[in-house]
Amino acid sequence: MSNILEIKNLSLKIGVQDILHDISVALPEKGIVSVLGANGVGKTSLMRCISGIYHATGGEICLEGQDISQLRSHEIVDRGICQSPEGRQIFSNMSVLENLVIGGGPLGRQELDHVLALFPVLRERLKQQAGSMSGGEQQMLCIGRSLMRKPKVLLLDEPSLGLAPRLVGFICELVTKIREEGYSVLLVEQNVKAALRISDRAYVIEHGKIVIEGDAQELANDPRVAEAYLGGHVHEDS
Ligand SMILES: Nc1ncnc2c1ncn2[C@@H]1O[C@H](COP(=O)(O)OP(=O)(O)OP(=O)(O)O)[C@@H](O)[C@H]1O
Ligand SMILES: [Mg+2]
């Protein structure tokens, strides 16, 4: 399987702080790859490097073999990478439909139908003010908005953040469904068990460096992962 996205030896310095160091991550086409790790280790910063919000100070980010690491964020969106950011960041005062239209750029009826087919809940609420929806619904809107552009690569930064355990499983099923539609997904999650269950591969970051990587199933059975991330704090109900 070829890699649609390849991050090679990426480093990021902000001021004097080394945020990311020698990060290499590969996302196969139509794959789900997870980036795991505790708070503050650099997961969101990595996503921001990929989406052009931060510019890497070393290394490469290759989309279909082309280095995009120095492009601006709007150029990266145009190339086919869309990020569903941490904390959702929907337009609370606008309707669900307006959020989808704005997020999607040049709206195609086809894209809208596609997103609404994936998220029937949104179809029922097109006119509702986005900020008045439940956390889970808002998360679906956030993901749906990213899909409006039919990206080649979807970046999801903690889609289950702040959601009830029951919804964590639901969001994971959705991510699986999105992959089945042909999207490639890079997923940041703190719900390690849930993320590993749906991923092909995973990378664990500590202090801006990859410390463990491998097949998701292997990592789920890796005692180092179990000890650090699965021990008694699995926020999941299955
Ligand atoms: N623009 C910035 N200026 C200074 N420091 C930054 C900046 N962006 C990120 N950092 C620092 O980089 C480190 C990693 O932050 P990041 O948000 O990437 O972590 P994270 O793994 O996503 O954490 P969390 O799980 O809490 O979301 C933190 O120490 C953060 O303060
Ligand atoms: Mg983060």
Side-chain angles (χ1 to χ4, degrees):
M1 210 175 349
S2 68
N3 292 323
I4 187 150
L5 185 73
E6 247 179 289
I7 298 160
K8 301 176 192 166
N9 311 106
L10 188 89
S11 57
L12 173 69
K13 254 186 188 211
I14 298 181
V16 292
Q17 205 186 342
D18 269 317
I19 311 272
L20 296 170
H21 184 74
D22 202 23
I23 299 273
S24 295
V25 167
L27 173 64
E29 200 160 356
K30 298 181 188 173
I32 301 176
V33 167
S34 282
V35 174
L36 310 170
N39 288 122
V41 297
K43 306 180 298 297
T44 295
S45 300
L46 175 60
M47 293 298 223
R48 287 184 173 156
C49 286
I50 302 168
S51 57
I53 299 168
Y54 290 168
H55 287 293
T57 36
E60 287 184 356
I61 300 170
C62 295
L63 177 70
E64 296 177 311
Q66 283 195 320
D67 186 16
I68 56 159
S69 62
Q70 300 308 316
L71 298 184
R72 296 185 190 179
S73 40
H74 69 89
E75 295 171 317
I76 291 174
V77 171
D78 289 343
R79 297 274 180 111
I81 300 184
C82 282
Q83 181 173 8
S84 185
E86 189 176 0
R88 299 178 200 137
Q89 298 175 24
I90 54 166
F91 301 106
S92 310
N93 294 325
M94 292 187 187
S95 71
V96 168
L97 181 61
E98 286 165 336
N99 266 274
L100 289 172
V101 172
I102 288 172
L107 172 74
R109 182 76 218 180
Q110 214 185 337
E111 284 75 20
L112 182 63
D113 284 343
H114 172 243
V115 167
L116 296 178
L118 258 174
F119 303 96
V121 148
L122 298 182
R123 189 190 289 281
E124 293 160 20
R125 297 173 182 278
L126 281 176
K127 291 186 185 152
Q128 186 172 338
Q129 203 180 21
S132 69
M133 295 202 298
S134 74
E137 289 161 357
Q138 290 187 27
Q139 187 57 59
M140 283 179 242
L141 175 57
C142 185
I143 299 173
R145 189 176 59 181
S146 306
L147 290 179
M148 285 290 291
R149 285 179 179 268
K150 294 216 151 198
K152 292 173 184 162
V153 172
L154 179 65
L155 307 175
L156 295 179
D157 193 350
E158 302 215 31
S160 76
L161 188 73
L163 299 184
R166 186 177 52 82
L167 281 179
V168 174
F170 179 71
I171 293 286
C172 284
E173 279 167 35
L174 266 179
V175 175
T176 305
K177 210 162 145 192
I178 287 168
R179 176 249 284 279
E180 283 163 6
E181 300 256 315
Y183 293 99
S184 312
V185 183
L186 189 64
L187 173 69
V188 165
E189 258 301 337
Q190 292 214 27
N191 283 288
V192 171
K193 193 175 174 188
L196 289 177
R197 204 178 51 213
I198 60 165
S199 299
D200 306 309
R201 280 182 70 75
Y203 298 81
V204 179
I205 301 186
E206 273 177 25
H207 305 299
K209 291 181 192 160
I210 291 171
V211 289
I212 307 173
E213 65 174 277
D215 177 79
Q217 200 53 53
E218 277 169 29
L219 258 64
N221 298 319
D222 187 320
R224 293 171 298 167
V225 175
E227 194 183 325
Y229 300 102
L230 301 176
H233 294 289
V234 182
H235 304 291
E236 214 207 343
D237 60 353
S238 63

